[in-house]
Amino acid sequence: MKKYVIGLDYGSDSVRAVMIDSQNGAELASEVFWYPRWKAQKYCDPAINQFRQHPLDHIEGLEHTIASVMKQSEVSPETVKGICIDTTGSSPMPVTQDGTPLACKDGFEENPNAMMVLWKDHTAVKEANEINELARSWGGEDYTKYEGGIYSSEWFWAKILHVAREDKSVVDATHTWMEHCDFITYLLADEKDLKAFKRSRCAAGHKAMWHESWGGLPDSAFLSKLDPYLASLRDNLYQDTFTSNEVAGHLNKEWADKLGLTTDTVIAVGTFDAHAGAVGAKVDHHALVRVMGTSTCDIMVSSNQAVGDKTVKGICGQVDGSVIPGMVGLEAGQSAFGDVLAWFKDVLQWPIDNLVLNSEVLSEEQKAELKDEIESKFIRSLAEQAEAIALSEVVPVALDWVNGRRTPDANQELKSAISGISLGTKAPHIFKSLVNAICFGAKMIVDRFEDEGVKIETVIGIGGVARKSPFIMQTLANVLNMPIKVAESDQAPALGAAIYAAVAAGIYGNVIEASKVMGSDFEAEYFPQASQVEVYAQLLEAYKQLGNFVEEQTNKNT
């Protein structure tokens, strides 16, 4: 009998499900659900870097996508052996004692502080700074050392501390907090004891300062120095964590009925999207997998023997088992990648949206046609003209920090900058400078890994940017001076989640074995162009100089 598995991948804007044949990794069906409340930008305030999502967006998407792939694929329910969920992170949400999201309780339905705090929410910069100061000064264990030595406002404890200080009503009504990947897994599974529920090693280790060497989460004495609430919350969280090849439970009857499945289906422990994406792209020793979308996550794996007691400075953590059980997962990334170009597109499109598409001269049908044409051609046309600009022509120098800097050395207070603009600077010149910036940001990450003794031999790109923009990928190959392979799958994170599900369901013995059979092949490879490598090396120095100046000024003003 055929055996199938489902991978569910929650991104920033949408969730997608894939039905995968465990025998060969073939995709039988896929479905995407765009979050309606998020699309309307409810509960968000970009001016203060607040980005919250209502859990109903995710619950509705869960039901729609899995039910849809079941219908499309026409497979028998009993042949679906496992489901695994990956999500963005750190994206924690408050829940009540019975595991209900607080935003689904009376009185909290429209309260942003009761929502899921999305990974890109940077309202907790002050709290992250406090955590870093305390970790270095309190005289005990430095709980940040396995997370690059710098705790970020994008992560678990900083976000909770910020909400706790801002909204006592949320604190009083909350029993515990769950990472997004843990909550969706809990929702599906038949294990309903919150204390015993298997939390994700990936989420806990990379974002919540969990480590086996100090017995799990940071000590209550440390947390209480930040806020007594954090110390009391610790008792309602967890001590042990689990890797995604393990079983979190079986599909409960309520959701089996909703999805057209059986209660025999195994639910694997949840994980983060980038880590699942690396598995979907057949990550191996000395390979850097770049998940390239609105932001990037850069994932590597290493043996415990190779890493030893060494801690890599300025990255987003090193966690045993977070990618492949038995190996150390290393994570870095950029807070904005595709978002840098999306910001520029929004700036250029302002007069179109406000003057053209709001015009009474055009009919609604004409406006719709014009909007579709702009969407299909805008970035492509900019990229074509930017690519045609000779390297000898003066192009501005830009920084990629439009949403702060994740790595190396997290600092969400940093802002972007552009220098070298003249009367001859046109939109394609600025676009080219922004493409250079996101590639230089990637180079800084690669250099940090190698400076810390982590060898990189192969770079693999996955995600929408990797597959859709040859211009960016060729620029990246030139900047890194390394070949870059592009994974064939449109849904590498969802595929990676399906691989975890196949192992948890007992179809394969381990993740490496399953990944070799089910993982994505490669559709393209970009090689450095010798004539451009040296020019980009010189431009990189200008990027560094601008970055040093901006960082110095930021430090003076904070």
Side-chain angles (χ1 to χ4, degrees):
M1 183 175 65
K2 283 273 194 178
K3 297 178 181 179
Y4 303 101
V5 284
I6 294 174
L8 199 65
D9 170 43
Y10 281 90
S12 300
D13 302 319
S14 61
V15 57
R16 72 277 313 154
V18 294
M19 176 75 73
I20 301 294
D21 186 335
S22 66
Q23 189 173 10
N24 52 24
E27 182 183 301
L28 277 71
S30 67
E31 180 69 10
V32 177
F33 177 88
W34 299 89
Y35 312 136
R37 298 164 189 82
W38 170 256
K39 191 173 182 179
Q41 285 298 282
K42 299 189 73 173
Y43 321 115
C44 297
D45 185 352
I48 60 170
N49 291 313
Q50 175 180 297
F51 297 98
R52 311 289 168 85
Q53 290 188 337
H54 201 295
L56 286 179
D57 273 352
H58 306 286
I59 295 169
E60 291 164 5
L62 164 67
E63 183 171 358
H64 173 83
T65 54
I66 294 185
S68 180
V69 296
M70 285 298 296
K71 184 176 180 179
Q72 291 176 48
S73 63
E74 298 182 335
V75 303
S76 299
E78 64 272 11
T79 64
V80 179
K81 299 301 181 182
I83 299 173
C84 182
I85 290 93
D86 75 71
T87 70
T88 64
S90 180
S91 299
M93 70 172 78
V95 301
T96 61
Q97 194 159 7
D98 64 357
T100 302
L102 189 59
C104 295
K105 302 293 285 186
D106 290 346
F108 293 96
E109 302 95 325
E110 301 296 320
N111 184 344
N113 291 318
M115 308 293 169
M116 189 185 81
V117 186
L118 190 65
W119 65 269
K120 68 191 288 183
D121 186 295
H122 291 164
T123 53
V125 169
K126 176 178 176 290
E127 289 77 11
N129 289 339
E130 287 182 42
I131 291 171
N132 286 314
E133 290 168 10
L134 180 62
R136 297 183 185 96
S137 65
W138 82 299
E141 184 73 67
D142 179 1
Y143 292 113
T144 71
K145 70 180 181 181
Y146 289 105
E147 292 180 309
I150 302 174
Y151 201 75
S152 170
S153 63
E154 293 184 347
W155 298 347
F156 188 78
W157 291 109
K159 289 177 171 178
I160 294 171
L161 181 56
H162 177 77
V163 171
R165 288 175 172 172
E166 189 171 79
D167 199 330
K168 189 174 185 298
S169 68
V170 168
V171 168
D172 290 344
T174 297
H175 174 70
T176 189
W177 288 72
M178 298 185 83
E179 275 288 353
H180 187 197
C181 66
D182 288 329
F183 170 72
I184 299 295
T185 302
Y186 173 82
L187 188 68
L188 291 180
D190 56 359
E191 173 55 71
K192 293 305 178 187
D193 181 346
L194 274 174
K195 193 67 177 176
F197 183 74
K198 294 181 180 178
R199 307 281 189 121
S200 166
R201 170 79 55 86
C202 177
H206 285 280
K207 311 303 179 186
M209 296 187 285
W210 182 96
H211 199 270
E212 285 181 314
S213 66
W214 48 70
L217 293 168
D219 188 80
S220 294
F222 173 82
L223 295 173
S224 65
K225 288 180 179 293
L226 294 165
D227 195 289
Y229 171 66
L230 297 188
S232 63
L233 173 64
R234 187 187 189 279
D235 294 335
N236 291 336
L237 289 170
Y238 51 87
Q239 178 172 337
D240 298 323
T241 63
F242 302 85
T243 54
S244 292
N245 61 321
E246 297 187 68
V247 178
H250 286 78
L251 186 61
N252 61 58
K253 188 173 188 313
E254 177 188 356
W255 277 94
D257 292 343
K258 287 182 180 181
L259 301 176
L261 289 165
T262 77
T263 55
D264 291 331
T265 301
V266 164
I267 306 299
V269 172
T271 188
F272 281 164
D273 50 1
H275 301 75
V279 170
K282 300 180 181 177
V283 67
D284 207 343
H285 290 83
H286 309 306
L288 176 71
V289 178
R290 306 206 78 226
V291 185
M292 301 160 69
T294 55
S295 66
T296 75
C297 278
D298 297 357
I299 304 295
M300 296 190 70
V301 294
S302 182
S303 67
N304 283 282
Q305 293 76 14
V307 174
D309 295 329
K310 183 178 180 61
T311 54
V312 181
K313 297 176 182 177
I315 63 170
C316 301
Q318 52 191 82
V319 179
D320 186 12
S322 66
V323 183
I324 295 176
M327 300 183 75
V328 176
L330 302 133
E331 177 189 346
Q334 293 165 266
S335 291
F337 194 79
D339 265 356
V340 176
L341 308 181
W343 161 80
F344 187 52
K345 174 179 176 287
D346 288 344
V347 171
L348 293 182
Q349 200 166 316
W350 186 93
I352 298 171
D353 290 339
N354 289 274
L355 300 177
V356 178
L357 295 178
N358 276 341
S359 170
E360 295 180 1
V361 176
L362 299 177
S363 68
E364 291 303 316
E365 184 179 350
Q366 287 173 319
K367 290 178 183 179
E369 289 176 358
L370 180 58
K371 189 172 182 179
D372 288 343
E373 185 172 4
I374 291 169
E375 282 296 319
S376 66
K377 293 182 178 179
F378 204 114
I379 292 293
R380 187 178 67 197
S381 298
L382 269 176
E384 288 171 354
Q385 292 194 37
E387 189 172 13
I389 298 172
L391 281 180
S392 58
E393 192 171 336
V394 176
V395 170
V397 178
L399 300 176
D400 53 312
W401 301 339
V402 296
N403 200 23
R405 184 180 65 204
R406 182 179 296 159
T407 53
D409 305 320
N411 187 342
Q412 303 304 344
E413 293 179 283
L414 293 174
K415 306 297 181 186
S416 183
I418 303 176
S419 69
I421 294 175
S422 72
L423 290 175
T425 303
K426 308 298 182 188
H429 293 86
I430 298 176
F431 185 83
K432 190 178 184 80
S433 75
L434 295 174
V435 170
N436 290 346
I438 59 179
C439 293
F440 292 148
K443 173 66 171 171
M444 300 297 286
I445 292 170
V446 168
D447 287 351
R448 175 58 61 88
F449 272 128
E450 296 198 323
D451 290 346
E452 291 286 312
V454 181
K455 187 178 181 182
I456 298 173
E457 295 178 346
T458 304
V459 179
I460 299 170
I462 66 175
V465 175
R467 297 200 70 210
K468 295 175 184 177
S469 182
F471 171 48
I472 294 176
M473 297 309 293
Q474 185 59 62
T475 303
L476 186 61
N478 290 334
V479 170
L480 298 183
N481 194 19
M482 289 183 182
I484 303 174
K485 296 178 180 177
V486 177
E488 184 178 60
S489 174
D490 266 333
Q491 310 288 4
L495 176 59
I499 290 170
Y500 284 131
V503 179
I507 299 171
Y508 291 94
N510 58 66
V511 173
I512 293 177
E513 177 190 349
S515 179
K516 287 178 179 178
V517 177
M518 297 173 62
S520 175
D521 290 328
F522 303 104
E523 66 176 11
E525 188 166 8
Y526 295 86
F527 296 92
Q529 298 165 319
S531 62
Q532 298 196 31
V533 168
E534 183 56 39
V535 178
Y536 277 112
Q538 295 171 11
L539 293 173
L540 175 65
E541 292 307 309
Y543 168 90
K544 290 180 180 178
Q545 289 174 11
L546 179 60
N548 290 337
F549 173 77
V550 169
E551 191 157 11
E552 286 172 7
Q553 297 305 308
T554 301
N555 291 338
K556 286 179 183 178
N557 295 328
T558 56

